[in-house]
Amino acid sequence: MTSLLKFVFRHRNIVNYTECKRFAGHNKWSNIRHIKMARDSERASALQTLIKKMKIAIAEGKSAKPDENVKLARLIDQAKKNSLPMATIKNLLEKMQSSKAKGQTAVFESRGPSGCVVLIQLLSENIIHTKQHLNSHLRKTFFSPAELASENYYLKKGIVLTEVDGHDIDNALDDAIEIGAEDAEKCKEEEKEFLMFSCQASELMKVRTKLEDLNYKIIQADVQYIPQVFVELNDEDMELVSKLYERLNNVEEVVGIYSNIL
C-alpha cells in the first residue's frame, strides 16, 4: 500500500471530492498546491465533473441509455443524491444519444523536466487530432510524448472511497477479502474518516456493488493511475508544469491528469 498512500482523489474526474492527506501527491490539483489556478474551482465544479464522467461512461459503454449502461446509471443516481440539475444532464444524454459521433477514450503519456511523467486522459471524437493538438502544448512547456510511461511508472487500479459509518478497519479488511478487493485502508481529512478499497481495474464495478450490498456508503468509485516512482521538482521546473496544466485546463478533450510529482 505504500504507493497507494501517496494517492490523491482530488482531480477533475471526481464528484464530491474528498481528499485524504495521507494520499496527497499525484494529480494535477494536489501536485502544485502553491501555484494558484484561476480556473480551478470553475473547471472542477461538481456538475462539469459529472458531465465529463458521464461522457466517459457513454463512450466506454457505447450507450447513453441508463438501462443499458450500468456505470452511467450510477452516475445519474449520484447526481440525484447531490441535487445536481437534472435538466442539464437530461439534455446531455439526449445530445449524446442522437449524436452520430462516437467519443473515444485514451491516455496520452508525456515526460517533463527532471523525469516527471504526466498522463493525460482524453475523451475525443478524433483521438489522433487531439494528440497532435496536445503535442503543441507539450513542446511549448518542454514536455515530450513518452511511450510505455503508464506501464513503467503507474499501476492502473480501481479505487472505491466510502464513509466509515460504523465499519471499523478490521471489518473492512475482512470485507475486502470477501468481495475480491485487494486491500482496504482508513484515511482522515479534517477530522472525518473514510475507507478506501483498492482492486483490479476490471473488478471496480463488481467491488462497488458488493460494498453497497454490505451497506457501505459509496463516496466515489473510479479507475485511477497510481504512480510507483515519484520525483521532486525545483521551483523552475514546477513553473513549467504549472504552465502545462494551465494549457491543458483549457482543452475540452482533457478529462483527467495524473503525475508522479511529489
Side-chain angles (χ1 to χ4, degrees):
M1 287 295 293
T2 301
S3 60
L4 285 179
L5 294 180
K6 294 183 179 294
F7 177 77
V8 155
F9 291 92
R10 186 183 185 183
H11 68 84
R12 291 169 65 181
N13 281 347
I14 290 184
V15 179
N16 278 350
Y17 153 68
T18 303
E19 178 184 341
C20 300
K21 287 183 178 179
R22 297 173 62 190
F23 304 153
H26 100 272
N27 63 41
K28 87 172 197 177
W29 307 118
S30 61
N31 286 336
I32 25 184
R33 299 183 181 206
H34 64 288
I35 300 175
K36 295 181 179 180
M37 294 185 176
R39 297 179 61 86
D40 184 20
S41 59
E42 176 186 350
R43 296 301 298 268
S45 67
L47 179 59
Q48 291 304 314
T49 302
L50 185 65
I51 287 174
K52 289 179 182 293
K53 290 172 69 67
M54 285 185 174
K55 288 181 178 180
I56 294 174
I58 292 169
E60 293 177 346
K62 308 300 182 184
S63 174
K65 297 180 179 180
D67 56 347
E68 298 176 358
N69 190 325
V70 175
K71 188 173 182 178
L72 176 62
R74 291 187 180 279
L75 289 171
I76 293 173
D77 288 342
Q78 191 171 13
K80 292 177 179 178
K81 291 177 182 178
N82 290 281
S83 302
L84 295 177
M86 296 308 298
T88 302
I89 294 171
K90 182 180 179 181
N91 290 339
L92 168 69
L93 298 181
E94 291 176 351
K95 179 180 178 180
M96 295 294 287
Q97 186 64 34
S98 61
S99 174
K100 295 181 179 180
K102 301 298 182 181
Q104 295 177 295
T105 59
V107 175
F108 187 71
E109 305 167 341
S110 65
R111 189 181 301 276
S114 299
C116 68
V117 176
V118 174
L119 303 185
I120 307 168
Q121 187 177 15
L122 306 174
L123 174 62
S124 173
E125 296 175 0
N126 189 328
I127 292 294
I128 295 177
H129 179 270
T130 300
K131 287 185 175 181
Q132 291 173 344
H133 180 50
L134 288 180
N135 276 329
S136 174
H137 291 301
L138 293 179
R139 288 194 300 269
K140 292 176 181 178
T141 53
F142 298 95
F143 275 75
S144 61
E147 295 183 0
L148 302 177
S150 60
E151 295 181 15
N152 295 331
Y153 290 86
Y154 291 81
L155 287 179
K156 187 178 181 181
K157 291 289 183 183
I159 302 293
V160 183
L161 187 68
T162 79
E163 295 183 4
V164 175
D165 196 33
H167 300 279
D168 61 40
I169 186 60
D170 290 333
N171 289 336
L173 286 168
D174 290 339
D175 290 339
I177 295 173
E178 178 183 340
I179 66 177
E182 295 178 343
D183 210 341
E185 281 283 333
K186 180 179 285 188
C187 58
K188 189 174 183 179
E189 171 65 15
E190 295 182 354
E191 304 306 318
K192 187 171 183 180
E193 294 183 328
F194 305 91
L195 293 170
M196 185 193 76
F197 294 83
S198 59
C199 62
Q200 292 296 318
S202 60
E203 299 291 300
L204 176 64
M205 297 307 293
K206 183 184 78 172
V207 168
R208 172 178 177 150
T209 298
K210 290 188 175 182
L211 285 172
E212 289 177 326
D213 292 341
L214 293 173
N215 297 317
Y216 284 88
K217 295 181 180 179
I218 308 298
I219 296 173
Q220 192 62 49
D222 279 294
V223 172
Q224 304 290 346
Y225 289 87
I226 314 300
Q228 301 302 292
V229 179
F230 292 88
V231 297
E232 292 190 50
L233 302 184
N234 57 36
D235 290 343
E236 182 179 354
D237 289 341
M238 286 292 259
E239 184 63 26
L240 291 174
V241 175
S242 177
K243 289 179 180 179
L244 175 64
Y245 286 170
E246 289 177 19
R247 287 174 172 274
L248 296 180
N249 199 34
N250 293 313
V251 178
E252 183 179 357
E253 291 83 359
V254 174
V255 294
I257 299 179
Y258 304 84
S259 84
N260 64 337
I261 303 170
L262 284 174

